[in-house]
């Protein structure tokens, strides 16, 4: 793991032993997780990597085929329950600049990763802290337990479960890409799963991250510290058997992220 912040990354301050089959997170459990809003409404997640930069999904920054105007986007740090004021108060910050990965096209999921440069620096606290990045080209993480988190839908059919106000988390298994491709194929899906993507879920379904969680983190724990290994990107339905969610593989983009967020 590696840090691009001025404090030790990946530290969870509070922890006890559209997310599906998950549970509510504790306040401060994922202090790097941000709510990205437009016109006051949450629409995607993201993760703080240092005082000025958030990693999210590129497709979150599109409205149909068009890139969103940066002045419409806000990032809220220290958020836990979207329906009420936080204690300590959450911090809403304007976005200065949006950086999509070169060659990314709206409405596609190849290179589905983007960076948001914030207008103001985040003040570090127990409810706002940066996550670690994986080393470039690091292990595939296949077979590892990972955690996804977000404020997404609680069921594929919105009639059976609304959007979560309280941050949700779910434990998933990282599935190697060859197995994932064969599962998708067995279900008659023509989805092309790229090496720059990763899969996480279970063969029997039941647990997944869902649509409105796009842009949020897929995380692993090593030596008590948390690393961002995936960005929630896409999938078919929610928590369906042999159709695990697809995530952007962050280790493929670590060098690009560092180049931007550590520029003078």
């Amino acid at each position: 793991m590696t840090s691009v912040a001025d404090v030790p990354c990946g530290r969870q301050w509070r922890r006890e032993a559209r997310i599906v089959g998950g549970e509510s997170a504790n306040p401060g459990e994922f202090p790097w997780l941000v709510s990205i809003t437009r016109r006051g409404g949450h629409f995607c997640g993201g993760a703080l990597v240092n005082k000025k930069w958030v990693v999210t999904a590129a497709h979150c920054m599109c409205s149909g085929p068009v890139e969103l105007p940066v002045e419409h986007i806000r990032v809220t740090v220290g958020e836990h329950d979207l329906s009420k004021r936080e204690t300590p108060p959450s911090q809403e910050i304007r976005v200065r600049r949006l950086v999509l990965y070169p060659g990314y096209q709206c409405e596609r999921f190849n290179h589905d990763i983007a960076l948001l440069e914030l207008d103001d620096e985040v003040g570090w606290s127990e409810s706002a802290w940066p996550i670690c990045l994986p080393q470039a080209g690091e292990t595939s993480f296949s077979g590892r337990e990972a955690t996804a988190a977000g404020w997404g839908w609680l069921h594929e059919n919105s009639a059976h479960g609304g959007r979560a106000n309280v941050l949700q988390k779910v434990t998933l298994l990282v599935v190697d890409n060859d197995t994932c491709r064969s599962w998708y194929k067995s279900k008659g899906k023509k989805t092309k799963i790229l090496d720059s993507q990763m899969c996480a879920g279970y063969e029997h379904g039941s647990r997944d991250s869902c649509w409105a969680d796009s842009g949020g983190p897929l995380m692993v724990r090593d030596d008590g510290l948390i690393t961002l290994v995936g960005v929630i990107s896409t999938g078919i339905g929610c928590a369906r058997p042999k159709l695990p969610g697809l995530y952007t593989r962050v280790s493929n983009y670590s060098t690009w992220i560092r180049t931007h967020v550590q520029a003078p």
Side-chain angles (χ1 to χ4, degrees):
M1 74 182 71
T2 178
S3 176
V4 290
D6 60 333
V7 290
C9 63
R11 180 174 174 183
Q12 285 179 300
W13 296 90
R14 298 178 221 171
R15 175 176 167 253
E16 296 167 15
R18 129 201 166 216
I19 297 281
V20 174
E23 59 183 318
S24 294
N26 295 303
E29 188 172 0
F30 305 112
W32 36 82
L33 207 128
V34 303
S35 165
I36 302 174
T37 59
R38 183 181 178 208
R39 299 194 183 101
H42 167 85
F43 70 95
C44 274
L48 282 167
V49 293
N50 67 18
K51 286 181 180 179
K52 293 278 284 190
W53 290 91
V54 167
V55 175
T56 187
H59 81 265
C60 285
M61 299 297 120
C62 297
S63 178
V66 181
E67 198 176 305
L68 289 175
V70 72
E71 58 270 19
H72 289 185
I73 305 165
R74 301 284 186 276
V75 167
T76 305
V77 178
E79 192 66 87
H80 178 70
D81 184 338
L82 300 177
S83 68
K84 63 182 190 186
R85 288 180 179 273
E86 301 296 338
T87 308
S90 56
Q91 184 183 3
E92 185 182 85
I93 306 175
R94 291 175 180 269
V95 175
R96 176 176 297 179
R97 184 160 58 115
L98 161 60
V99 184
L100 300 180
Y101 189 80
Y104 175 77
Q105 293 176 288
C106 284
E107 301 186 310
R108 302 286 178 87
F109 293 98
N110 188 17
H111 303 311
D112 189 12
I113 191 165
L115 298 169
L116 302 179
E117 183 181 12
L118 305 178
D119 233 9
D120 294 312
E121 291 189 347
V122 174
W124 298 133
S125 70
E126 289 189 9
S127 55
W129 202 260
I131 195 168
C132 302
L133 291 172
Q135 299 282 1
E138 197 168 359
T139 161
S140 69
F141 300 100
S142 298
R144 292 282 306 271
E145 269 199 351
T147 302
W151 292 272
W153 301 100
L154 299 171
H155 193 279
E156 179 173 334
N157 179 343
S158 57
H160 291 140
R163 180 195 290 281
N165 280 321
V166 174
L167 181 62
Q168 301 292 299
K169 62 180 178 180
V170 61
T171 302
L172 304 166
L173 197 65
V174 178
V175 179
D176 73 84
N177 281 26
D178 287 341
T179 300
C180 191
R181 289 177 184 119
S182 70
W183 286 358
Y184 269 71
K185 192 174 178 183
S186 76
K187 291 292 187 177
K189 305 301 180 187
K190 294 186 166 61
T191 308
K192 189 173 184 187
I193 298 167
L194 307 165
D195 290 340
S196 58
Q197 295 173 306
M198 62 198 299
C199 302
Y202 293 95
E203 186 170 7
H204 55 77
S206 81
R207 288 192 243 170
D208 195 359
S209 54
C210 269
W211 304 290
D213 290 307
S214 286
L218 181 71
M219 305 165 273
V220 299
R221 171 190 303 280
D222 286 300
D223 301 322
L225 299 177
I226 308 298
T227 299
L228 175 68
V229 297
V231 174
I232 301 173
S233 177
T234 185
I236 294 174
C238 277
R240 295 187 191 176
K242 291 196 172 179
L243 293 173
L246 299 178
Y247 300 76
T248 303
R249 188 181 292 279
V250 176
S251 58
N252 278 39
Y253 301 93
S254 293
T255 303
W256 173 74
I257 294 169
R258 293 181 75 99
T259 300
H260 281 281
V261 307
Q262 291 187 314

